[in-house]
Amino acid sequence: MAEHRVRVTQDSASRWRRRAGEYETLREALAAAEPGDTLTLRPGVFRENVLLDRPVTLQPAEGPGTVRIDPPSGVPLTVTAAATVRGLVIEGSESSAPAVLVTGAGAEAEFSGCRVETRAAAGVEITEQARATLRGCTVSNPAGLGVRLRSRARALIADCELLDSGQAGLAVLEGASAEVERSRLHHASGAGVLLTDPGSSAALTSCEIYEIRGSGVQAEAQATGRLDDCEIRRVSGNGLTLDTEAELVLTGCRVHDLPENAADLRGRSRLTMEKTTLREFGRGALSVWDSGTLAEALSCELHSSTGDYPAVWVSDGARLTLTDCSLHDLPDALFVLDRESIATARDCSFSRIRSSAVSVSGGASVALADCRIQEAGTGLWFRDHGSGGQLTGCEISEVATGVIVTKGADPTLRECTVRAAAEAAVYVSAQGRGTFEDCRVSHGKGFGFHIIDGCRTELTRCRAEQNGRAGFEFAEPGPVTEGCTSDDVGPPVELPAPRTAQLTTAPAPLAPSAPQIAPIPDCRPADEALAELDSLIGLATVKQEVRTLIDLISVGRRRRQAGLKAPSLRRHLVFTGSPGTGKTTVARLYGEILASLGVLQQGHLVEVARVDLVGEHIGSTAIRTQAAFDKARGGVLFIDEAYALAPEDGARDFGREAIDTLVKLMEDHRDEVVVIVAGYTAEMERFLSANPGVSSRFSRTITFPDYTAAELLQIARAQCTEHEYVLSDPSAEALLGYFGTLERGPGFGNGRTARQVFETMVERHAMRVAQLAEPSTEELQLLLPEDLPGRESARMG
C-alpha cells in the first residue's frame, strides 16, 4: 500500500485546524491513519495521552527533540501494536503509571532516538508478552524505575542510556527477558540491573554500569543473567548480588571501585566468571555464603583491596572453584569457614598478601593443586578441628610462616615446597595434626618443621635444607616420621621414627616493641605493699576492693592449712575507669602482695597493649600473645586499653584471635598468671562480650573513679614536696579552682593531668624567676597563682 503522510500542525493562537492531510489533534490523526502510515509531527508540546493501537510510525518533522508528549495525567504513550516511534521526547508525571507503556502479545514497538524524561512509576514499561526495541534512546526517571519488563515481555536495548533512576535502572521481572548492548546504566538509586523471578533473564554485552547507589547487578529468585565485556564501577553496594538460586555468567568483564563486595552470593545461587577482573573493593572480591551456593572463576584476576577484609570468603557450606586465577595485593586472599564449605584452586597464584593467603577453619576444607603462594604473611593456616584439605604440588615462598596447623586441624600436603620462610616453614601446635608426604622446606630463617605440644603429625619422605635454626624441631611425644632427612647438622641424615626433641621457644614474634616488664626484686612483706596502697591519694573504693580480695585469699590459704575447704577464687580482674586514675600502680602492688602471700612466684608486672599482642598476619598474633603470657608467668599480665582487642567493626580483626588465645591460656595456666584488663567502662563491657569465655575468667570488676578537684590538689602538693617547691595558700586556692573548671571528657588525664599542670607551673615559674637578678631561696621555691596555666605571668619591672 502506498504510504500516506499525515501532518499535524498548530497555529499561532494555539488552536488546532484541519486542512488536507492535517488534523486538529494527534488523537484524531491517529484515528484516521491507515496501517503502515507515518505521522509527521510539527514542533510543539502535545498535552494528550497517545495510544498507538495499529502499525504506524510516529516521528517529528524537524528532527529529534522538537516534539514533546506531556499530558497532565495518565500514561503519555501507550503502544499495543507493531508501531515505530522516532526522535520524540516523552514526559509525564503520573506516579502510579509509566511514561511509556508497551503491552499485549500483539505489541512489537520500536523506539529510536527517543528521550524519556519523566517522574513516573517507570520510564518505560514492557509487559504482557509485548516485545520492544530501544535504539539510541535515553531514559531518565528520578521518581521510579528506568525500564521495567514484566509478564514474559521481551526487549532489545541497544546504544541506550538509562540514567538518574529513583529505583533500578533496568528491572526484569516475572519471566521477562532483555538483551542490552553497548548501553550505559548510571546514577540509579537502586540496582543498576535488577533480575528477579523464575524465567527472568538478561544478557548484557559491552555495557557500562556505574555511579549506582545499590548493587551493580542484583539477581534473585531463580533469575539468570549473562554479562560479556561489561564494566561495573563506582557502585555503593556490591558489584554483583546473587540470592535465592539466581545465576550469573560473566566473561571478559571488569568490576572495580567498590566500597562493598565485588560479588556477594547467597541462597544456592551460582556465579561463573571467565577472564574477569575484580579489583579495588572495600570488603571482598567474592563472598560466597550458604549451602548449595557455588562460585567458579576461570582465568580471573582479583587484586588491590581497599579494605581489611579477606578477598574471597567462603562460608556456611558454600563452594568455590578457582582455576588459573591470580590473587595479589590483598590483606587476606582466601578464607574458608564452617563445616561443609569447600574451596578448590588449581594452577592459581597468590602474591603480595599482607596477612594469610589461605585460611581454613570451622571444619571447612580446601583442595589446592599446582598453586603458588609468595610474599605473604602466612601461606596457609588450618585453624581448628575438622579443618583440612588436600594440597598437591604447591609452592610457598617468601612468607613469614609457610603452613600453620592448630587446634586439631588435619590437612594433607603432598609434593609441596616451602622456601625462604622468615619464621617457621611448617608450624604445628595446640593438638594440630597434618600429613606431609614428599614435602621440602628450605632456606628459611627459622625452623623447617616446628612441631610442639606433642602434636602427632605424620611426616613421610620430607626433607629440610639450609634452614636457619634447624630442619626439624619436635616436642614429646613427637610426630610420626618415615624416611625424612635434614642437612641442619652436617651431611644429610635420616631421622628415626619417631624422633622427639626438647621443646624450644617459638620463633621470635614480629613485635614492634617488647612488652614492658616491671621486675620485682626481693619480695617485700605484704604489709609494706598494702601500706603503699593505702598511701595513694583517693581511690577509697579501690583500696577496699583490693583488701577484700587479699583477705579472701589469705583466709583461704589458712583454711586449707587447717584441712578445711577453701573458696575457689579467680584472681583475674577488670579495672575500669579513665586514664591516670592509678590502674597500673594498683596492678603492680596487687602482684607484689600476691607474691608475698605465696600465691604468685614472682609478682612482677608485664604491661602490654594491642600493639604487643596483635600481629600483621594470621598466626603471628597467637605467637605474640603466647610470648607475652610466658613473660608474665609467676606475675601479673596487665593489658591496658584491652577493649582495642575487640573493635566495634572487627568481624575479622586479629584482636579477637588474641582474646581467644588468652582465654585458653588463662584456663590452662590458671595458677601461674594473674591477668588484669583495663580500660574505659563502656568499652570494657564490649570487650567482656567479645568471647563467651572472657567474662567467666574474671572474678570481679574494680572501678577507678575520677579524682576530685581536692584530690588533684593533693597530687600537685605531693609533686611540689617531691621536687622541693612550695605552693602558697593563694596558689593552692587558685589551683583548686582551676581543677574544678577542667572539662572531664574522654581526654581528661586525672593524676596525669595534675602532674602536667605542676610541670607547666614549674616552667612558668622558671620564666618568671629568670628575670630576677638575685632571687632568694624562697623565690626559687615558691609557686604563685600567676604560674597556673592560662594566666599571664607578672610583668617584672
Side-chain angles (χ1 to χ4, degrees):
M1 176 170 53
E3 177 181 298
H4 297 283
R5 300 189 62 82
V6 181
R7 295 182 300 279
V8 179
T9 187
Q10 183 179 25
D11 63 18
S12 59
S14 299
R15 294 173 51 201
W16 298 96
R17 57 195 175 121
R18 181 182 185 131
R19 63 176 185 264
E22 296 183 358
Y23 295 84
E24 292 182 356
T25 66
L26 183 53
R27 182 181 298 107
E28 190 175 321
L30 286 168
E34 296 289 337
D37 282 350
T38 296
L39 284 73
T40 302
L41 310 181
R42 298 299 184 189
V45 179
F46 291 83
R47 306 288 185 183
E48 55 183 300
N49 304 93
V50 178
L51 171 63
L52 301 182
D53 58 358
R54 63 196 67 190
V56 296
T57 297
L58 208 62
Q59 65 183 27
E62 297 184 13
T66 58
V67 176
R68 293 177 174 266
I69 298 176
D70 185 17
S73 62
V75 179
L77 176 61
T78 302
V79 181
T80 61
T84 299
V85 181
R86 299 178 182 144
L88 301 189
V89 179
I90 298 96
E91 298 182 352
S93 58
E94 183 65 62
S95 61
S96 61
V100 176
L101 175 62
V102 183
T103 182
E108 294 187 13
E110 181 172 338
F111 299 86
S112 62
C114 295
R115 298 204 320 262
V116 179
E117 300 174 351
T118 185
R119 300 190 64 86
V124 177
E125 177 160 322
I126 308 163
T127 186
E128 301 297 340
Q129 303 182 53
R131 300 175 185 273
T133 298
L134 283 72
R135 295 186 185 275
C137 296
T138 299
V139 180
S140 171
N141 181 22
L145 294 160
V147 176
R148 176 167 59 190
L149 282 72
R150 304 173 62 180
S151 303
R152 294 185 291 166
R154 302 288 183 266
L156 170 62
I157 302 172
D159 302 303
C160 292
E161 186 173 13
L162 312 184
L163 73 158
D164 294 330
S165 300
Q167 300 176 39
L170 170 65
V172 184
L173 323 170
E174 300 171 6
S177 67
E179 294 183 27
V180 188
E181 301 173 354
R182 301 176 303 281
S183 295
R184 294 186 295 153
L185 299 89
H186 60 96
H187 292 87
S189 296
V193 177
L194 172 64
L195 309 173
T196 185
D197 302 326
S200 299
S201 65
L204 283 74
T205 304
S206 302
C207 293
E208 295 180 58
I209 301 173
Y210 59 95
E211 300 293 352
I212 304 295
R213 295 183 63 182
S215 296
V217 176
Q218 180 174 335
E220 57 193 25
Q222 300 181 39
T224 62
R226 174 180 291 276
L227 285 76
D228 296 304
D229 187 30
C230 292
E231 182 174 13
I232 300 173
R233 66 182 187 274
R234 297 199 304 272
V235 302
S236 62
N238 300 314
L240 308 167
T241 298
L242 289 78
D243 203 352
T244 51
E245 301 184 56
E247 293 188 17
L248 285 180
V249 177
L250 276 68
T251 304
C253 294
R254 298 151 315 276
V255 184
H256 61 96
D257 289 319
L258 315 163
E260 297 294 326
N261 299 294
D264 186 278
L265 288 71
R266 302 171 188 265
R268 301 179 66 84
S269 57
R270 179 167 182 164
L271 172 65
T272 303
M273 302 188 303
E274 183 175 354
K275 297 179 180 178
T276 290
T277 300
L278 310 179
R279 62 181 174 86
E280 297 168 21
F281 37 82
R283 285 191 174 266
L286 287 169
S287 292
V288 191
W289 311 81
D290 303 336
S291 177
T293 302
L294 174 64
E296 297 178 304
L298 172 63
S299 300
C300 294
E301 185 176 5
L302 290 64
H303 67 94
S304 304
S305 171
T306 60
D308 292 325
Y309 295 86
V312 181
W313 187 286
V314 185
S315 182
D316 301 327
R319 300 287 191 273
L320 168 73
T321 300
L322 304 174
T323 305
D324 189 26
C325 293
S326 172
L327 297 86
H328 59 91
D329 293 299
L330 303 166
D332 296 290
L334 172 60
F335 264 43
V336 190
L337 304 142
D338 304 324
R339 189 169 299 279
E340 298 183 0
S341 297
I342 298 176
T344 301
R346 177 177 291 277
D347 198 25
C348 294
S349 66
F350 302 78
S351 62
R352 298 191 296 277
I353 310 299
R354 295 191 290 277
S355 185
S356 68
V358 180
S359 179
V360 188
S361 66
S365 65
V366 296
L368 275 65
D370 301 319
C371 293
R372 299 162 301 286
I373 298 172
Q374 61 183 4
E375 297 181 63
T378 300
L380 301 104
W381 188 16
F382 299 91
R383 302 182 59 159
D384 47 25
H385 183 74
S387 302
Q390 304 280 336
L391 279 78
T392 306
C394 295
E395 299 178 7
I396 305 168
S397 62
E398 300 177 63
V399 296
T401 305
V403 180
I404 298 177
V405 184
T406 58
K407 300 180 182 178
D410 193 11
T412 298
L413 285 76
R414 295 187 175 93
E415 299 178 358
C416 296
T417 63
V418 181
R419 182 174 55 81
E423 297 180 6
V426 175
Y427 181 73
V428 186
S429 68
Q431 290 77 54
R433 295 182 66 87
T435 299
F436 296 82
E437 298 179 3
D438 299 302
C439 293
R440 179 172 175 256
V441 298
S442 67
H443 298 87
K445 294 181 180 179
F447 295 113
F449 288 88
H450 190 187
I451 302 171
I452 66 173
D453 296 338
C455 296
R456 301 297 288 168
T457 304
E458 296 183 10
L459 306 176
T460 304
R461 296 181 303 278
C462 292
R463 180 175 178 80
E465 300 175 350
Q466 301 184 43
N467 291 285
R469 299 186 67 177
F472 297 87
E473 187 68 20
F474 304 150
E476 295 183 359
V480 176
T481 66
E482 178 183 350
C484 296
T485 60
S486 172
D487 67 356
D488 66 309
V489 285
V493 296
E494 182 172 334
L495 300 177
R499 173 196 177 192
T500 61
Q502 183 65 32
L503 174 63
T504 64
T505 57
L510 299 174
S513 61
Q516 299 177 11
I517 302 178
I520 298 295
D522 294 336
C523 187
R524 58 178 171 169
D527 290 344
E528 291 185 18
L530 283 168
E532 183 179 339
L533 176 67
D534 288 336
S535 70
L536 297 177
I537 296 170
L539 305 178
T541 57
V542 174
K543 296 171 185 176
Q544 183 57 50
E545 287 277 4
V546 173
R547 278 194 170 274
T548 299
L549 279 170
I550 299 304
D551 291 343
L552 285 169
I553 292 170
S554 180
V555 172
R557 291 182 65 221
R558 293 182 180 182
R559 286 178 59 87
R560 281 191 294 272
Q561 291 170 356
L564 301 174
K565 290 184 177 180
S568 176
L569 296 175
R570 289 188 175 91
R571 300 159 297 175
H572 310 303
L573 301 176
V574 179
F575 285 179
T576 63
S578 301
T581 48
K583 294 187 288 293
T584 306
T585 300
V586 173
R588 176 180 58 79
L589 293 172
Y590 182 57
E592 284 192 58
I593 295 168
L594 293 183
S596 68
L597 294 175
V599 177
L600 293 174
Q601 289 183 350
Q602 295 175 271
H604 64 289
L605 180 75
V606 175
E607 183 178 357
V608 297
R610 174 188 167 93
V611 69
D612 303 303
L613 304 178
V614 178
E616 293 85 1
H617 62 84
I618 288 182
S620 62
T621 295
I623 294 173
R624 289 188 184 191
T625 305
Q626 175 79 60
F629 193 90
D630 288 343
K631 289 182 180 180
R633 292 201 183 196
V636 175
L637 178 62
F638 182 79
I639 307 175
D640 197 16
E641 297 182 349
Y643 53 82
L645 298 174
E648 292 183 272
D649 185 16
R652 53 133 347 249
D653 186 81
F654 293 156
R656 296 184 182 272
E657 181 187 343
I659 295 173
D660 295 344
T661 303
L662 276 172
V663 168
K664 186 177 188 305
L665 290 170
M666 290 167 67
E667 181 63 26
D668 294 345
H669 307 281
R670 65 184 71 184
D671 296 327
E672 299 178 49
V673 177
V674 167
V675 178
I676 299 177
V677 291
Y680 292 108
T681 302
E683 285 81 353
M684 290 305 294
E685 291 178 0
R686 184 181 73 238
F687 169 78
L688 292 174
S689 63
N691 180 300
V694 170
S695 59
S696 65
R697 297 294 188 274
F698 294 92
S699 60
R700 65 180 62 200
T701 296
I702 298 178
T703 300
F704 286 65
D706 285 344
Y707 287 113
T708 65
E711 289 169 342
L712 291 174
L713 179 59
Q714 282 185 267
I715 295 173
R717 283 188 182 278
Q719 291 287 302
C720 287
T721 301
E722 181 182 349
H723 295 89
E724 297 183 340
Y725 282 88
V726 175
L727 197 65
S728 68
D729 289 341
S731 298
E733 184 177 347
L735 190 55
L736 180 64
Y738 175 80
F739 285 138
T741 62
L742 290 178
E743 183 177 350
R744 303 292 181 109
F748 181 61
N750 283 284
R752 190 177 303 124
T753 296
R755 290 187 290 273
Q756 289 170 347
V757 169
F758 167 74
E759 291 168 358
T760 300
M761 293 181 71
V762 168
E763 292 173 1
R764 295 170 68 89
H765 166 269
M767 294 171 61
R768 176 172 54 81
V769 173
Q771 301 179 50
L772 302 178
E774 294 291 338
S776 65
T777 301
E778 181 182 1
E779 289 172 326
L780 289 170
Q781 290 181 295
L782 189 62
L783 298 177
L784 300 178
E786 54 261 39
D787 295 328
L788 264 67
R791 297 198 177 203
E792 292 294 329
S793 298
R795 296 180 63 88
M796 307 301 295

